Amino acid sequence: QSWDRFGDWPILAFIVCRASCSIRGNLILFQINTNGFVAVAEPPAEEKYLGKMPSEFKMIAVLLGDLDNSDGQGKVYFRHDSTPNILGRAADHIRQGFPDGKVEKPTNTFIVTWENMAAQGTPGRGDQLDTKRITFQLVVAYTASSAWAILLYPRNGLQFLYTSIGGERKLLESCFNEGLVGWFWQKQGLYFNLTSDDEASIRQLTKKTNAAQSGVWVYKIGSSPFFVEIEPGKVTRSPENEGPHFVESDTIAPAPTSTGTIQRIHPTEQHEPETRYITSETLQPTHTTAAPTPPRSAPQHPQIVVVDEDLDVNVFAYNPETCAHNRHKCSASADCRDHSRGYCCHCRPGYYGNGKDCVAEGKPQRMNGKVNGQVFVGNLPSPVRLSNNDLHSYVVANDGRAYVAISNIPDSVGPSLQLLSSLGGVIGWAFALEQPGYENGFSLIGGVFSRQAEVVFQPGNERLTIKQEFKGIDEHDHLVMSTDLDGRLPAVPLGSTVQIEPYKEIYQYNRNFIISSSSRNYTITSPDGDVQTRSYQWRQTIVFQTCPYDEAGWAGATLTTQQLSVDQIFVMFDANNHLIRYAMSNKIGPIRSISTCVTDAQVRLMLKVSLIVRDSHSEACCYSEECSETRIQYLGQIHQNMFLSGPAEENRPVDHCQRGSHDCDAPQRALCRYTGGSAYICSCLPGFEGDGRVCRDVDECQQQDRCHAEASCSNTQGSFTCQCRPGFHGDGLHCSPTFSEREKTQCEQQRESAVADSDVPFSFRPRPVGRYVPRCDEHGAYEPTQCHQSIGQCWCVDANGQEIANTRTGPHSSPPLFTPAPIGPTPRPDVQPIAPGAYLLFAQSGKIEHVPLDGYIMKKEEAKPLLHVPDRVVIAVAYDCVEKMVYWTDITGPAISKASLTGGDVVPVVTKELQSPEGIAIDHVARLLFWTDSTRDTIEVSKLDGSHRRVLFDTDLVNPRPIVTNPAYGRLYWADWNRDGPKIEMSNMDGTERVVLVKDNLALPNGLTFDYENQQLCWADAGTRNVECMDPHRQLRRNIVEGIQYPFGLVSFGRNLYYTDWRREAVVAVDRHLGKETEEFLPQKRSRLYGITTTATQCPQVYNYCADNGGCSHLCLPRLGGLSCRCPDTTDGQCEEKVL
C-alpha cells in the first residue's frame, strides 16, 4: 500500500544520483543514496559510514541503514518543485513547527522519496508478499534567507527498525551531519542526532513530532553552507494529544561532538572556494551485539547519474508521471488517463473498482487473510490468543450476500465471537448490492484501505478493537486482508445461539476517509433455553488513498452519505470443526428513516476526545444541513489523526510492550508479553538465560552432542553454528567423509566382478559359458530391463537388481514393457531426435494455451488456446500420455479437472475438501493422481478419476507447491517454499521413506520437473533466481542457469528445460548442456503464466509394480522395489492393506 504525505511525487528513479539546486546564488550538488540519506559531497564506500556515525561528509540522514531496492519494488525518486500547491504545503509545515515567528514563503523545494525500501538481505517467502518495507520522504524548502528540512515518516509505524551491518543488527539512524570542517586542522563539525541507540527513539519518529503532526519533523538548517545552525520545530504535541505544547527555542551552534575525529590535514590547494572533505577514520559508537543474521549478498555498486543544471532551469522537461510510464500500475481491466498533473486509472465498462483494482461486475469474490490478536472473554484474567488463524470469505456480488469463516477457533472464545458479525461487515459493505446512483465500498476505493472499528457491549461495557488492512487483489484475483483483535468480549456459554437483528448504518464520506457508527441489538439463547437481549455500540473509520490528479473529482465526493442496510444475518460457532461463521445480505443506497445530523455529542462519542474547534452553527446542528457538512469536514481533520495514533483517553490501561515503555531486556534477547491491564511479563528468548530484564547468552557449545563428532562448534549470540572439519562434508550436525571419487554402486560392483571373471585366461580355469553381466545406467543404477544375450532372455528388475516375478521372456521373444537398449554406443543425449507432434501446454489465468514444438524450437506463430475456463485461475497442469488428457488445478473453484486434447467437455475430478491446490502430478503407469494443497498443507493421492482419495502427508508442510513423479522407481518429489526453511523432499509413492533431498541455498523453489531419460530432478527458484538439477540417486547437484527473473512452472523435454516467468510474462527455453537461455515466447495477451507441461506422441517406456493395480482392492501405490496396497481415507466396503 502506497503511503504519501506530500502527494504522489515520484518523478524519476535512480539508485544513486546527483541533483543540483541553487540557494542564494550558490550551487548545491545533492547526492541521493538508497541507504536513506542525501549528501552534499561524494559519499565514501558504505562500510565507512554505516554504523560509524558521525561521518566525514555532509549529509541529512532521514533513515540511515543498509537498505535495499534491488528486488524491483523498492524505488528512490526525486524532483524539484516550485508549484504553488507544494510551496504552500511546505510553508504550512514550517509555520506549524514555528508558530511564534514570521516565516518567509518558500521559493522552491527539493523532494526525495524512498519508497518500499527493504532491509538488505531480509529473508522472505520469495514472492516478496511478506517482505517488510518502509517509505519515507525528505523535503528541503528554500526561502530567501535560509533552508528548511522537513522529514516525513509513515503514520502507521516502521515495519523494521534494524538492518544488518557487518553481520550485526544495527538500529536505523536519523541525523544532520556537517562532516569534517576546517582548513589546516580539520575536526568533526556539527552532528545533530534525532535518534539514539535506544529502539524507542526510532519508533518515536512516527509517533511524535516537532511540527504539530505525528511523524512530521521540521528543522531550520541555515543557508549555504548548510548546518550553520540547526533549529528544531517547537510544537511537540499533535492534535490527537491534549493540545499544542511549545518549547523554548533551541538553536544549536556548530560544535565538535565527543564521538568525532579531529585530524590535522594539509590541503593540497591553498585557495579552494569551499571546504574539502577527506577520508578519515571515525570512532565507532558502542552498539549492543545482536544475534548474527544470515550472510548478505555481495554489495551492489550503483551507477551515478549527474544532473548539473541550475535550479532556474527546469531539470526535468518532461513528466514521467504519465500513462506512458505507468500504465502497468493500473489493473488489466482498467484504462489509464493522463491529467494535467499526473495519471489516474479508471475501470473499464463491465468492471468496477478504483482503477488499480478492478473486478468484473457480478463475478463472485473471494478474500483470504489471517486473524491475530488477543481477546479476553467475560471476567477471565488471561486472554485467548489468536495466531495466524485463516480467514476466508466468499461474496455473491449479484445479491450482495457475504460469507465469512475463520478456522481453528478455541471453544473458550468461539461462542463469544458470534457477537462480532461486524468483523466481516466491512466485506459486506465493500461488495454490497448497489441501488441506482449509489456505489459500494470497492467501487469507490478499491481493495487497498485500512479499517479500525471499536465495539462497546452493553450492559457490561466490554470493549474490543478491530484493525484490518486490505492489501489489494493478488495474482489469484483474491482480495488479501489481515485482521487484528484486541479487547474483551462478553461471555457466551458454549452451545448458545446468537441472533443479530437487521440494522442500518450511515456511511459518511470524505476524500481519504469514511466514518460510520450505529447501535445494534442481539439475542443470546443459551442451551437451557434462557433468552437475553442485549446491544452494542459500533463505530469505525476507513482510511484510503484516492487518485489526486482527477480534475473531475473522486466519485465519492458526490456521495456525502450513504446507507448500508444489512439483514438475513447468520452467525454460528461450529464447535466440532472449530469454525466461526458469519453470513449477511448487504445493500447500499439512499438514507431512509435515520437522522443524518452529526451533533457535538456524536462527535465526542466517535472521537473520544473533546472538541478542539467549534463552528458558529454548533447549537443548531440538528436543523442545519450546512452545519452537518461543516461538522463532517471538521470531523475528518481530527479523525484522520485519531485513527492512526489512537484516541486519547484518561485512565486507560497501557500496553507497555507495544508502547516500548517496559523494562525488559533488548528485543533481540528478551520478549515482553502483555498480560492485560497495564501488566506485562519479561522472559528471555531461546539461547539466553536470566529473569527477562537481564538476559545472558547461553554457550551451547559447552553442552555435549550439539554438533557432529567430526565438526567444530562456534557459539553465537543466542545460538551456535556447526562446521564439518576438513575431510568431511555436511551441515555440521551430520558430517560424512569427503571422497575424491564416489563409491561404486551395487550394480557397478557386480558388473565389474562379472567382467573381471570373464577376463581370466583359459589356462587358469575354464571360462563360464554365457556369463550374465548386469547393465547399469549412467548413474550406476540397475537398468529396469536386464538381458542375458547368450540365452536370449530378458526380464525386469527392481532397484536392487532383483528379478521381478513373471517378467522373464523366452528366446527370440520381445521383452515385457521395455525395449532393451541396443548393443554398442548409444547416441549423445544432446543429439537425440524428438518425436514430432509434441507440444508445450501452459496455464495463463483462465485458460490453457499450447505451443507446438519443432524439435526443440517453439513454433510461436502456431500458438493458440487449448481451452478456456472463464472466472478460474489455473495453477498447475499435467498430461496423461495414455488417454491424452490434460489435468489442471484451479484455486478459485477450488477444483481439479481434466479435458481431452481432442476436444470435449471439462470433466471435474476432485471438487471437495480442497482449498488451494497448487501442484499436480500423474503416474501414467499406475494410473494415479497426486496433488499438493498449500492451504490445507497436504499431499494427497487418488486414482485418475478422483476415486479412492488418500492423504499421504499432512505434517511438516508449510507451503507445498510443485510435485512430480518418477514411475520407474515409484518415487515422488515435491518442493515446499516455506520462507523459514524451503526444501525439496522425496518419498515412495506409498508415503514411505520420506527424506529431504535439498535444503541448502533454496529460497522459493516454484518449479519442479523430472527427466525420465537422464534421471535428473530439476527446479527453478524465484528467490535465488537459479535453475538447478541434481541426480537424486547420488545427490550430485549442478547449476544450469543463473540470474533469471521470477520463474513459476518448469518442465523438462529432451536437452531443454522450459519455464514460465511471472515478470517477463513469457515461456523461456533453456539448453541444459549449453547452460543458457535460447528462446522466449510471449503470449499475445500479457499476464502472469503459471504451470507448464509437455505432450508427447507416445508414453515413456517405463514400468512399475502397479501397472495392473498390483492385485490391490483399492489403491496400488508403487514404492522402490515393490508396492503397497492402501485404503482410501473413506471407504464403503472391505479394503485390505498389505505391502508386497
Side-chain angles (χ1 to χ4, degrees):
Q1 180 180 354
S2 63
W3 168 85
D4 184 6
R5 192 170 269 144
F6 249 80
D8 191 3
W9 291 343
I11 292 297
L12 191 59
F14 293 105
I15 297 177
V16 174
C17 62
R18 294 178 180 175
S20 63
C21 68
S22 175
I23 179 169
R24 297 181 64 182
N26 295 324
L27 185 68
I28 301 297
L29 187 66
F30 284 116
Q31 305 275 342
I32 304 169
N33 194 284
T34 54
N35 282 336
F37 68 89
V38 171
V40 292
E42 183 82 21
E46 64 182 25
E47 59 265 24
K48 294 283 188 179
Y49 60 86
L50 286 180
K52 298 179 179 180
M53 293 299 291
S55 66
E56 62 194 25
F57 60 98
K58 187 175 296 189
M59 65 187 296
I60 302 175
V62 188
L63 273 181
L64 177 64
D66 196 0
L67 304 180
D68 182 26
N69 70 334
S70 61
D71 60 0
Q73 293 195 35
K75 292 180 174 60
V76 182
Y77 306 102
F78 73 90
R79 85 163 187 260
H80 297 282
D81 199 317
S82 57
T83 60
N85 179 44
I86 297 301
L87 295 181
R89 296 178 70 181
D92 289 342
H93 279 298
I94 296 172
R95 279 192 291 266
Q96 286 177 337
F98 296 85
D100 54 348
K102 183 178 180 181
V103 176
E104 300 168 302
K105 185 176 182 180
T107 58
N108 210 324
T109 60
F110 179 70
I111 305 165
V112 186
T113 303
W114 291 265
E115 182 182 58
N116 291 329
M117 304 298 288
Q120 181 69 258
T122 301
R125 282 176 17 166
D127 52 8
Q128 299 151 2
L129 297 178
D130 67 328
T131 300
K132 293 183 178 181
R133 302 181 182 278
I134 52 178
T135 297
F136 50 96
Q137 288 180 310
L138 167 68
V139 180
V140 180
Y142 308 100
T143 62
S145 60
S146 189
W148 308 77
I150 306 171
L151 285 61
L152 302 113
Y153 301 96
R155 295 187 181 94
N156 56 353
L158 302 175
Q159 290 195 20
F160 61 88
L161 307 178
Y162 294 84
T163 60
S164 178
I165 299 173
E168 295 185 359
R169 293 172 71 232
K170 300 287 188 180
L171 277 168
L172 297 170
E173 300 178 67
S174 181
C175 66
F176 297 88
N177 183 73
E178 190 177 16
L180 298 180
V181 297
W183 276 88
F184 294 96
W185 295 95
Q186 289 195 323
K187 61 182 180 180
Q188 178 67 43
L190 173 67
Y191 176 56
F192 182 76
N193 200 352
L194 281 67
T195 58
S196 65
D197 57 358
D198 181 9
E199 183 178 292
S201 68
I202 307 298
R203 298 185 187 276
Q204 289 173 359
L205 292 176
T206 66
K207 297 179 179 179
K208 295 189 176 182
T209 182
N210 67 7
Q213 188 175 352
S214 296
V216 178
W217 302 81
V218 177
Y219 296 86
K220 184 178 181 181
I221 58 177
S223 58
S224 179
F226 292 150
F227 310 141
V228 173
E229 59 181 7
I230 299 291
E231 183 178 356
K234 303 169 185 177
V235 183
T236 60
R237 299 288 181 89
S238 56
E240 63 264 32
N241 294 317
E242 295 178 357
H245 176 68
F246 300 95
V247 298
E248 295 296 327
S249 176
D250 187 14
T251 302
I252 300 176
T257 65
S258 59
T259 57
T261 296
I262 302 176
Q263 204 171 37
R264 185 171 183 173
I265 301 299
H266 298 280
T268 56
E269 295 182 16
Q270 298 295 322
H271 301 287
E272 285 190 24
E274 58 184 16
T275 305
R276 285 175 55 88
Y277 298 97
I278 56 101
T279 303
S280 67
E281 293 293 323
T282 57
L283 299 178
Q284 181 174 349
T286 301
H287 291 272
T288 302
T289 304
T293 57
R296 52 164 285 190
S297 57
Q300 299 181 358
H301 300 286
Q303 295 180 346
I304 295 178
V305 179
V306 180
V307 184
D308 281 330
E309 292 90 340
D310 196 290
L311 186 64
D312 293 333
V313 180
N314 185 1
V315 178
F316 303 107
Y318 62 95
N319 179 10
E321 284 299 290
T322 62
C323 291
H325 297 83
N326 296 280
R327 191 178 305 275
H328 64 282
K329 296 181 180 179
C330 298
S331 166
S333 303
D335 294 321
C336 186
R337 300 176 192 170
D338 286 319
H339 300 274
S340 59
R341 296 186 298 116
Y343 74 96
C344 289
C345 304
H346 302 270
C347 295
R348 295 172 185 155
Y351 296 85
Y352 63 100
N354 66 346
K356 296 292 183 71
D357 291 317
C358 299
V359 298
E361 293 179 354
K363 177 183 176 182
Q365 299 301 319
R366 292 185 180 273
M367 276 138 283
N368 299 316
K370 300 290 185 181
V371 179
N372 292 279
Q374 58 180 9
V375 179
F376 293 84
V377 178
N379 296 319
L380 294 179
S382 299
V384 178
R385 300 189 184 277
L386 303 177
S387 179
N388 287 330
N389 295 62
D390 287 320
L391 181 151
H392 298 284
S393 177
Y394 184 83
V395 178
V396 182
N398 282 330
D399 61 9
R401 186 149 184 84
Y403 302 87
V404 181
I406 306 173
S407 60
N408 298 322
I409 299 297
D411 292 349
S412 56
V413 73
S416 295
L417 282 177
Q418 294 179 96
L419 308 179
L420 275 191
S421 67
S422 306
L423 191 147
V426 67
I427 299 173
W429 164 77
F431 295 99
L433 183 65
E434 298 173 335
Q435 301 300 295
Y438 294 85
E439 299 187 55
N440 61 29
F442 196 90
S443 296
L444 291 173
I445 67 175
V448 178
F449 57 90
S450 300
R451 180 237 199 172
Q452 177 167 311
E454 185 174 8
V455 193
V456 181
F457 295 89
Q458 300 300 338
N461 203 37
E462 297 91 349
R463 297 170 181 266
L464 185 132
T465 300
I466 304 171
K467 294 181 180 179
Q468 292 177 305
E469 291 288 335
F470 289 77
K471 304 172 183 178
I473 295 176
D474 65 9
E475 65 274 12
H476 307 309
D477 284 335
H478 293 180
L479 187 62
V480 180
M481 58 182 292
S482 64
T483 300
D484 283 285
L485 305 179
D486 185 23
R488 189 176 297 273
L489 288 172
V492 175
L494 185 64
S496 300
T497 61
V498 173
Q499 176 65 46
I500 300 177
E501 297 179 8
Y503 61 87
K504 301 182 188 300
E505 187 172 352
I506 301 298
Y507 281 73
Q508 301 177 2
Y509 297 80
N510 206 308
R511 181 80 190 194
N512 292 108
F513 70 91
I514 300 169
I515 58 175
S516 69
S517 66
S518 66
S519 295
R520 305 176 188 176
N521 298 322
Y522 63 94
T523 301
I524 301 175
T525 304
S526 63
D528 59 8
D530 182 43
V531 178
Q532 298 182 39
T533 300
R534 300 178 181 176
S535 67
Y536 61 83
Q537 294 175 324
W538 163 267
R539 51 184 173 273
Q540 70 171 346
T541 302
I542 297 170
V543 178
F544 56 95
Q545 194 74 30
T546 60
C547 182
Y549 304 131
D550 190 354
E551 293 88 349
W554 174 54
T558 60
L559 300 171
T560 305
T561 55
Q562 294 189 107
Q563 180 173 290
L564 178 70
S565 301
V566 183
D567 57 13
Q568 300 180 42
I569 304 169
F570 169 81
V571 297
M572 182 188 74
F573 174 60
D574 182 349
N576 293 328
N577 295 304
H578 299 289
L579 289 171
I580 185 73
R581 302 180 185 273
Y582 309 108
M584 62 206 73
S585 293
N586 307 271
K587 185 185 299 182
I588 197 80
I591 298 173
R592 295 188 177 94
S593 72
I594 291 183
S595 170
T596 64
C597 175
V598 184
T599 66
D600 286 355
Q602 288 174 307
V603 171
R604 290 191 183 95
L605 175 64
M606 299 177 78
L607 298 186
K608 302 205 69 183
V609 294
S610 298
L611 287 176
I612 300 173
V613 178
R614 293 176 62 91
D615 57 78
S616 58
H617 305 287
S618 58
E619 298 300 325
C621 181
C622 286
Y623 308 99
S624 169
E625 183 177 351
E626 179 184 358
C627 173
S628 247
E629 289 295 319
T630 304
R631 188 60 53 83
I632 291 170
Q633 294 174 1
Y634 158 70
L635 181 63
Q637 294 170 358
I638 302 177
H639 202 276
Q640 189 170 9
N641 287 328
M642 184 281 294
F643 170 75
L644 293 163
S645 60
E649 294 187 5
E650 295 182 358
N651 301 321
R652 183 174 181 176
V654 176
D655 183 349
H656 293 281
C657 295
Q658 182 178 9
R659 177 177 290 184
S661 53
H662 59 81
D663 60 350
C664 301
D665 205 339
Q668 60 266 31
R669 294 188 293 273
L671 173 68
C672 178
R673 189 170 72 252
Y674 178 60
T675 58
S678 297
Y680 60 92
I681 297 175
C682 301
S683 58
C684 294
L685 294 176
F688 296 91
E689 60 184 6
D691 61 0
R693 288 168 171 79
V694 177
C695 297
R696 298 171 298 278
D697 175 57
V698 176
D699 188 351
E700 291 87 355
C701 294
Q702 299 299 320
Q703 304 170 10
Q704 293 184 352
D705 301 328
R706 281 293 185 175
C707 301
H708 191 269
E710 299 298 337
S712 60
C713 180
S714 300
N715 186 53
T716 62
Q717 285 291 308
S719 186
F720 66 99
T721 60
C722 299
Q723 184 173 4
C724 295
R725 304 187 202 281
F728 294 84
H729 69 278
D731 59 5
L733 300 176
H734 303 281
C735 298
S736 304
T738 301
F739 298 101
S740 56
E741 41 180 90
R742 68 175 178 85
E743 297 179 355
K744 290 183 172 61
T745 65
Q746 178 183 345
C747 181
E748 291 169 331
Q749 292 174 0
Q750 185 181 355
R751 181 180 62 186
E752 186 178 82
S753 175
V755 172
D757 287 345
S758 64
D759 289 341
V760 176
F762 297 146
S763 57
F764 289 90
R765 63 183 176 87
R767 179 173 180 173
V769 177
R771 178 77 176 183
Y772 161 62
V773 179
R775 298 170 56 86
C776 311
D777 64 16
E778 60 180 297
H779 309 293
Y782 287 99
E783 290 191 355
T785 301
Q786 298 288 329
C787 293
H788 195 162
Q789 301 299 331
S790 298
I791 62 176
Q793 291 186 354
C794 296
W795 61 92
C796 298
V797 299
D798 60 22
N800 297 316
Q802 300 298 311
E803 180 177 348
I804 298 174
N806 302 320
T807 62
R808 185 177 287 264
T809 63
H812 314 298
S813 63
S814 300
L817 298 178
F818 285 89
T819 301
I823 303 299
T826 57
R828 286 171 42 195
D830 58 342
V831 295
Q832 287 182 355
I834 299 297
Y839 292 86
L840 290 174
L841 301 179
F842 63 89
Q844 188 180 25
S845 190
K847 65 180 178 178
I848 298 175
E849 289 207 14
H850 76 291
V851 183
L853 291 174
D854 182 5
Y856 294 112
I857 306 301
M858 292 183 281
K859 301 171 72 173
K860 305 173 187 177
E861 67 283 354
E862 297 182 22
K864 60 182 179 180
L866 174 68
L867 65 98
H868 289 272
V869 279
D871 299 331
R872 294 289 183 262
V873 177
V874 179
I875 300 297
V877 290
Y879 178 65
D880 174 25
C881 57
V882 177
E883 297 182 348
K884 302 190 184 308
M885 302 284 289
V886 58
Y887 289 72
W888 67 90
T889 64
D890 156 32
I891 62 171
T892 50
I896 298 174
S897 307
K898 66 179 180 179
S900 173
L901 284 184
T902 59
D905 295 331
V906 173
V907 179
V909 178
V910 181
T911 59
K912 297 180 179 179
E913 296 183 31
L914 294 173
Q915 291 189 33
S916 185
E918 296 186 10
I920 188 172
I922 288 173
D923 178 351
H924 68 279
V925 180
R927 315 304 292 154
L928 296 173
L929 179 70
F930 299 87
W931 68 90
T932 62
D933 193 312
S934 65
T935 300
R936 287 165 54 90
D937 295 334
T938 57
I939 295 176
E940 300 186 55
V941 62
S942 74
K943 303 295 285 184
L944 275 181
D945 60 1
S947 63
H948 303 337
R949 180 174 172 180
R950 179 185 177 95
V951 175
L952 287 179
F953 301 108
D954 59 2
T955 60
D956 296 326
L957 295 171
V958 178
N959 294 112
R961 180 171 284 165
I963 186 169
V964 293
T965 61
N966 180 4
Y969 287 83
R971 292 291 203 183
L972 195 63
Y973 306 92
W974 67 92
D976 187 329
W977 54 269
N978 172 18
R979 61 180 180 177
D980 296 323
K983 58 186 176 179
I984 297 174
E985 295 189 84
M986 173 184 72
S987 75
N988 290 323
M989 290 185 183
D990 63 355
T992 60
E993 299 183 20
R994 178 181 179 181
V995 296
V996 176
L997 278 181
V998 186
K999 65 178 180 179
D1000 297 325
N1001 300 320
L1002 288 179
L1004 184 61
N1006 268 338
L1008 197 66
T1009 186
F1010 191 83
D1011 178 2
Y1012 298 142
E1013 295 179 5
N1014 299 299
Q1015 291 291 299
Q1016 291 281 299
L1017 180 69
C1018 302
W1019 64 90
D1021 194 312
T1024 64
R1025 300 171 61 195
N1026 294 339
V1027 175
E1028 299 183 67
C1029 292
M1030 76 174 300
D1031 172 4
H1033 308 288
R1034 295 184 294 168
Q1035 298 193 15
L1036 299 178
R1037 176 176 174 179
R1038 68 189 183 99
N1039 218 24
I1040 303 299
V1041 65
E1042 300 178 347
I1044 60 178
Q1045 293 192 29
Y1046 204 99
F1048 189 88
L1050 179 72
V1051 67
S1052 171
F1053 189 72
R1055 66 180 290 162
N1056 271 12
L1057 294 168
Y1058 298 88
Y1059 72 88
T1060 57
D1061 193 291
W1062 272 12
R1063 291 206 179 121
R1064 294 164 69 172
E1065 297 177 344
V1067 177
V1068 184
V1070 174
D1071 188 310
R1072 280 189 296 182
H1073 300 282
L1074 298 179
K1076 66 177 184 179
E1077 295 181 357
T1078 58
E1079 194 178 8
E1080 178 185 70
F1081 169 66
L1082 299 172
Q1084 183 176 5
K1085 180 183 177 182
R1086 303 296 300 278
S1087 64
R1088 285 180 171 174
L1089 310 184
Y1090 293 88
I1092 186 170
T1093 190
T1094 58
T1095 70
T1097 56
Q1098 59 184 10
C1099 293
Q1101 291 186 330
V1102 296
Y1103 170 84
N1104 63 39
Y1105 293 95
C1106 291
D1108 56 356
N1109 209 45
C1112 298
S1113 62
H1114 288 75
L1115 281 174
C1116 180
L1117 303 180
R1119 59 183 176 85
L1120 189 62
L1123 63 88
S1124 295
C1125 294
R1126 297 298 185 199
C1127 297
D1129 290 336
T1130 57
T1131 179
D1132 296 332
Q1134 284 190 336
C1135 178
E1136 180 183 1
E1137 291 197 346
K1138 55 186 176 180
V1139 178
L1140 300 174

